[in-house]
Amino acid sequence: QVQLAESGGGLVHPGGSLRLSCAASGRTFSNYPMGWFRQAPGKEREFVTAISWSGAGLYYADSVKGRFTISRDNAKNMVYLQMNSLKPEDTAVYYCGTDRILSRLTSGRAAYWGQGTQVTVTV
């Protein structure tokens, strides 16, 4: 069993920044890739970014390249999402997820999900 818990969401103005955190527990965290996903109102959940187990492989959706950065700290069982230059279209519930297979994450799927944290970008 895997437990994921996101934190760090909130309300921010366009152009602002937020840092999301995801705490993982329940298995050997460092062995598995991790990802961030988001779901806007009325839309399906979509892939945002993923990171390989070592942290060497980084993958981003085109919509967030150059603005978002994923990172992980295997010693702390944590994964982070630094979001800069936020836009209103980034408004969504953000989820972290994990799966044994990295390609499942980059296609928007995961074996385990957190409960999500709301990010709202508004003037």
Side-chain angles (χ1 to χ4, degrees), residues 7-49:
S7 61
L11 182 68
V12 64
H13 295 306
S17 298
L18 279 176
R19 188 193 194 208
L20 305 184
S21 299
C22 175
S25 61
R27 68 162 188 208
T28 307
F29 170 79
S30 60
N31 290 349
Y32 294 90
M34 298 289 296
W36 286 97
F37 309 79
R38 66 187 182 187
Q39 186 168 19
K43 296 185 177 181
E44 293 186 354
R45 184 154 48 190
E46 64 176 3
F47 166 76
V48 175
T49 179

Side-chain angles (χ1 to χ4, degrees), residues 2-83:
V2 176
Q3 295 82 40
L4 302 173
E6 304 93 337
S7 61
L11 182 68
V12 64
H13 295 306
S17 298
L18 279 176
R19 188 193 194 208
L20 305 184
S21 299
C22 175
S25 61
R27 68 162 188 208
T28 307
F29 170 79
S30 60
N31 290 349
Y32 294 90
M34 298 289 296
W36 286 97
F37 309 79
R38 66 187 182 187
Q39 186 168 19
K43 296 185 177 181
E44 293 186 354
R45 184 154 48 190
E46 64 176 3
F47 166 76
V48 175
T49 179
I51 186 168
S52 64
W53 68 270
S54 67
L58 305 175
Y59 308 85
Y60 295 95
D62 289 343
S63 59
V64 306
K65 281 181 181 177
R67 300 189 298 122
F68 290 12
T69 303
I70 189 172
S71 61
R72 66 189 297 163
D73 185 337
N74 287 341
K76 296 181 178 179
N77 284 5
M78 297 290 295
V79 62
Y80 306 99
L81 180 62
Q82 178 66 43
M83 305 186 294

